[in-house]
Amino acid sequence: MVSLPRFRFRLSCVLLAAVLGACGGDDDPAPPVDNGGGNGGDNGGNDGGGATDQQPPQATLTAPAALATGLTGDIALTATASDDVGVTAVEFEADGGPVGPPDTTAPSGATVSVANHPPGQHIVRARARDASGKVSAWSSATVRFGGTAKVPAGFTLTESWVAGIARGTAMAQAPDGRLFIAQQGGDLRVVKDGALLPAPFASFTVDGNGERGLIGVAVHPDFATNGWVFVHYTSPAGGAHGRIARLVANGDVSDGSETVLVDLPVLSSATNHNGGALHFGTDGKLYVAVGDNAQRTLAPRLDSVFGKLLRFNDDGTIPTDNPHAATQAGLARAIWAHGLRNPFTFAVQPVTGTLYVNDVGENTWEEINLVTAGANLGWPATEGPTTEAGVTAPLFAYRQTDTDPPGSGPGGFFTGQSIAGGAFYPASGGSFPAPYASNYFFADHVAKSVGRLDPANGNAATSFARMAGNPVDVLAGNDGALYVLSRNSLARITVP
């Protein structure tokens, strides 16, 4: 601890009050913390009207070490800090949330309990603050926690909030809170008031082999008035192929009508890489994810709809402002982005319309892609991080196995074999604490994990939940809960 800088006043109190807005009040300010060897003396011979703060403070997180792994118990966070005038406090955070109050006493430290966090990747950091309110850059360390927690402290995970789901694939929520659950075998089920209704909303004859079947569902932005529900399924009629159809709700079941909007080309003998998700954008257009049907050479081709994100009007026609509407023919005019392998899930940010597409990788990487009109996402020329000309590199990618050393390189400690499920948590109005606002939640089917990207902190990726089932979809509910659909049940994550 060092004493306050000494000031030599040559102005009267009245003049000082006029210039600085202060008149030598009765309360002494809190002494600064300068625990990193910073200048705590006379501030370099400043003979003017007091010390002048020339620069922000500096901070260095000294523990834990970057890439520390297997951390358990209570972890000590320590940091050094310095400033040209004096450090008043050091702040510590874990995953974007504060760890205790700011420390005003040197040496600076805090304690984070691993038991309060699910195992996996976490980011701890520190920054310093000086008397004038300037703050240093964050000094961070990416680490891996052990332990057995399922969700962070303060959250509640109800693993089988709804049971009895048969081979779930996708879900969507109506404005009234009802959840539509797509089952691979062809039934579209409804969850109402926390219960799975016995009667399907609708049933379809599907080819359910491999990854085929009922694989996508969305509700229209004007569902409250038109009752429209959209589905993506594999129809066996005339050769197995993807079909986009529109239904109309009549209470908790459809009215029995089905309007076929789009029939995609007949599939190859491969029963995988069908994509499946469909969502409405903030532009009112229907976006549909289609896999490469295990024919990788089709993904970059602009005359094929395989390996693409497609964009339609809500009646199945093709918008004239699509990037290839004037240069391609037939359904290829619907292409919005290309170069995808198996985009099983994607999400739309409900205010900005930003599109994040999850692409299941082959042997090395799982991807989250920020998709814009005409984007080339690289497959099969690239997979994972890339600097390839003309390719939009993933916003975030993680490996299917640990790096050497573990945690190094893109993706950090995250590993998994099938990214499945994505949802943007609301920027405001949700029930989760402030650090989770606008976060993007994503799941991995094989790793049974849910992670989150924090856009306010450089898209830092941290572990959020460990699931008992294999996730296939994630949804931020209009009740503030986060829903995680697995093959056989629906989980719900809430805060009190």
Side-chain angles (χ1 to χ4, degrees):
M1 189 78 65
V2 293
S3 62
L4 283 170
R6 298 187 300 273
F7 298 98
R8 288 176 292 180
F9 295 99
R10 297 181 179 176
L11 297 175
S12 69
C13 184
V14 175
L15 180 56
L16 181 61
V19 175
L20 298 180
C23 196
D26 295 330
D27 296 326
D28 291 333
V33 177
D34 196 340
N35 54 20
N39 181 0
D42 290 338
N43 199 39
N46 182 351
D47 290 330
T52 302
D53 193 353
Q54 300 291 336
Q55 59 188 14
Q58 302 293 313
T60 301
L61 183 72
T62 53
L67 304 187
T69 186
L71 300 178
T72 59
D74 291 337
I75 305 301
L77 309 183
T78 61
T80 60
S82 61
D83 184 56
D84 59 341
V85 172
V87 173
T88 58
V90 175
E91 304 167 18
F92 293 91
E93 288 190 350
D95 300 343
V99 179
D103 191 353
T104 60
T105 305
S108 300
T111 301
V112 60
S113 175
V114 168
N116 291 334
H117 302 270
Q121 177 163 296
H122 297 278
I123 297 174
V124 294
R125 61 185 189 174
R127 72 176 179 183
R129 182 179 298 274
D130 68 15
S132 66
K134 290 186 174 68
V135 293
S136 71
W138 287 104
S139 177
S140 304
T142 299
V143 297
R144 180 159 61 186
F145 288 175
T148 60
K150 296 294 187 179
V151 290
F155 289 82
T156 299
L157 167 62
T158 306
E159 193 79 57
S160 292
W161 186 66
V162 173
I165 294 168
R167 296 198 296 162
T169 56
M171 60 180 164
Q173 188 170 39
D176 58 18
R178 285 179 294 170
L179 292 159
F180 293 88
I181 308 294
Q183 297 185 158
Q184 189 174 354
D187 286 343
L188 182 62
R189 307 294 298 274
V190 173
V191 172
K192 184 177 183 179
D193 298 328
L196 183 66
L197 301 186
F201 180 83
S203 296
F204 305 90
T205 300
V206 302
D207 179 340
N209 292 305
E211 297 172 4
R212 298 174 178 178
L214 179 57
I215 53 179
V217 60
V219 299
H220 194 275
D222 296 326
F223 174 87
T225 55
N226 61 29
W228 287 356
V229 178
F230 294 72
V231 291
H232 182 187
Y233 65 93
T234 311
S235 170
H241 66 281
R243 170 173 286 176
I244 313 302
R246 186 177 68 210
L247 313 175
V248 181
N250 180 20
D252 293 325
V253 297
S254 77
D255 67 1
S257 65
E258 178 184 350
T259 302
V260 176
L261 303 180
V262 179
D263 277 316
L264 298 173
V266 173
L267 297 165
S268 72
S269 59
T271 60
N272 57 343
H273 294 195
N274 297 286
L278 70 165
H279 297 284
F280 277 91
T282 55
D283 57 1
K285 307 302 182 184
L286 180 64
Y287 292 81
V288 182
V290 180
D292 69 5
N293 190 211
Q295 301 176 89
R296 64 179 61 206
T297 59
L298 298 181
R301 286 175 48 174
L302 296 179
D303 60 350
S304 170
V305 296
F306 292 111
K308 309 297 191 298
L309 184 67
L310 308 179
R311 180 175 180 257
F312 296 97
N313 294 314
D314 62 9
D315 61 359
T317 59
I318 297 173
T320 57
D321 62 347
N322 277 2
H324 308 290
T327 57
Q328 298 299 321
L331 286 176
R333 295 176 298 126
I335 294 172
W336 186 253
H338 61 284
L340 292 163
R341 182 176 180 268
N342 189 20
F344 183 64
T345 53
F346 70 96
V348 180
Q349 211 289 335
V351 176
T352 65
T354 299
L355 287 165
Y356 280 8
V357 176
N358 303 324
D359 201 10
V360 179
E362 187 177 34
N363 296 319
T364 310
W365 294 96
E366 304 297 309
E367 298 180 354
I368 298 174
N369 296 280
L370 171 59
V371 175
T372 56
N376 173 15
L377 288 315
W379 176 255
T382 67
E383 180 183 292
T386 182
T387 57
E388 185 82 13
V391 173
T392 300
L395 181 73
F396 178 72
Y398 59 92
R399 290 183 179 271
Q400 296 184 358
T401 58
D402 260 339
T403 56
D404 185 15
S408 59
F413 289 104
F414 272 93
T415 60
Q417 291 76 45
S418 181
I419 189 168
F424 288 95
Y425 200 76
S428 61
S431 58
F432 283 13
Y436 297 87
S438 299
N439 281 197
Y440 180 72
F441 290 87
F442 61 96
D444 191 281
H445 179 74
V446 176
K448 298 183 180 181
S449 63
V450 178
R452 65 182 180 106
L453 293 184
D454 182 1
N457 291 301
N459 288 312
T462 54
S463 176
F464 178 72
R466 293 287 173 172
M467 312 301 299
N470 298 92
V472 292
D473 205 1
V474 179
L475 183 148
N478 53 27
D479 59 353
L482 189 74
Y483 293 89
V484 182
L485 176 67
S486 72
R487 295 290 273 166
N488 301 309
S489 62
L490 179 64
R492 185 170 184 256
I493 301 175
T494 57
V495 292

